[in-house]
Amino acid sequence: MARADYPEPVRALILELKKLPGVGPRSAERMAVWMIQHKRRNPQELANALEYADENVTLCVTCGFFSTQEGCSVCDDHTRDENLVCVVEQPTDVLPMERSGAFRGYYHCLGGKLSPLDNVTPADLKIGQLLKRVEKLDGVEVILALSSDVEGEATANYLAEVLAGKNCDVTRIAQGLPAGGGLEHADELTLMRALQGRR
Ligand code: ZN
């Protein structure tokens, strides 16, 4: 006797859900079963939301933050201080900075950090774009807000080096951000202190 399992479409759905970050086999199964049992509304709404986000969300060509066809909510905000550009690793790092309320300038998302072990070189990050931006923004302060692990440090050192010849001030936020976690997990007070303590 063959042991019964879910029909193939359900197994395919479980397989897809398992690819999502933080979703293990049991949660994937629970979600898939819930979806097929609540067929009326939810799966189609989820599919629509996925398609909507996929078609409409892109990365801003100027700063690398999430943007839509309508533009980037940071770059389009002309009330910000144009003399401040905060360099972060990922677009997700912008949100805790914004929530902390401690920063009112613009951002530049590198798209990662230098890591020889993972073959991430300066050419893989948006460093060329940063240099071009700094050249245009005469006398800007570039604040490096990278993670405090080895790769974050190496990236900050590299940027300080390539920015040294440009007409800008380079500062770094004070230590105290969780190593390896990037800015994502830093709480707002820590961020505020880190920004105020930049040097
Ligand atoms: Zn932008």
Side-chain angles (χ1 to χ4, degrees), residues 111-188:
K113 52 189 166 184
L114 294 176
S115 173
L117 286 177
D118 302 313
N119 287 318
V120 181
T121 69
D124 299 310
L125 305 177
K126 296 193 180 85
I127 293 175
Q129 288 96 317
L130 175 65
L131 297 179
K132 275 190 201 137
R133 252 183 114 182
V134 167
E135 274 165 22
K136 269 192 221 158
L137 300 162
D138 206 30
V140 73
E141 178 184 348
V142 179
I143 303 162
L144 305 177
L146 307 172
S147 54
S148 54
D149 57 6
V150 179
E151 290 92 355
E153 281 291 315
T155 310
N157 290 338
Y158 179 82
L159 288 176
E161 222 166 89
V162 293
L163 287 165
K166 308 281 174 193
N167 184 24
C168 66
D169 290 325
V170 182
T171 56
R172 292 188 201 189
I173 58 168
Q175 292 302 303
L177 297 179
L183 289 181
E184 246 179 299
H185 308 293
D187 64 47
E188 290 161 11

Side-chain angles (χ1 to χ4, degrees), residues 26-191:
R26 298 293 300 171
S27 326
E29 189 176 336
R30 245 193 323 267
M31 284 190 234
V33 168
W34 181 83
M35 284 178 195
I36 52 168
Q37 286 176 335
H38 296 78
K39 240 178 202 163
R40 221 20 84 71
R41 335 191 310 268
N42 297 299
Q44 199 49 52
E45 280 173 11
L46 178 63
N48 292 347
L50 275 174
E51 205 180 320
Y52 180 60
D54 183 50
E55 282 175 1
N56 292 287
V57 179
T58 167
L59 296 179
C60 171
V61 287
T62 306
C63 75
F65 184 53
F66 301 113
S67 94
T68 63
Q69 270 105 335
E70 277 88 64
C72 165
S73 59
V74 176
C75 292
D76 293 347
D77 178 1
H78 300 295
T79 65
R80 287 171 183 265
D81 186 347
E82 56 183 15
N83 295 310
L84 295 174
V85 174
C86 180
V87 178
V88 295
E89 288 163 19
Q90 300 293 348
T92 44
D93 295 333
V94 168
L95 297 167
M97 294 285 284
E98 287 291 296
R99 286 172 191 148
S100 80
F103 184 70
R104 284 295 296 166
Y106 294 90
Y107 296 94
H108 193 90
C109 310
L110 293 173
K113 52 189 166 184
L114 294 176
S115 173
L117 286 177
D118 302 313
N119 287 318
V120 181
T121 69
D124 299 310
L125 305 177
K126 296 193 180 85
I127 293 175
Q129 288 96 317
L130 175 65
L131 297 179
K132 275 190 201 137
R133 252 183 114 182
V134 167
E135 274 165 22
K136 269 192 221 158
L137 300 162
D138 206 30
V140 73
E141 178 184 348
V142 179
I143 303 162
L144 305 177
L146 307 172
S147 54
S148 54
D149 57 6
V150 179
E151 290 92 355
E153 281 291 315
T155 310
N157 290 338
Y158 179 82
L159 288 176
E161 222 166 89
V162 293
L163 287 165
K166 308 281 174 193
N167 184 24
C168 66
D169 290 325
V170 182
T171 56
R172 292 188 201 189
I173 58 168
Q175 292 302 303
L177 297 179
L183 289 181
E184 246 179 299
H185 308 293
D187 64 47
E188 290 161 11
L189 193 65
T190 311
L191 268 178

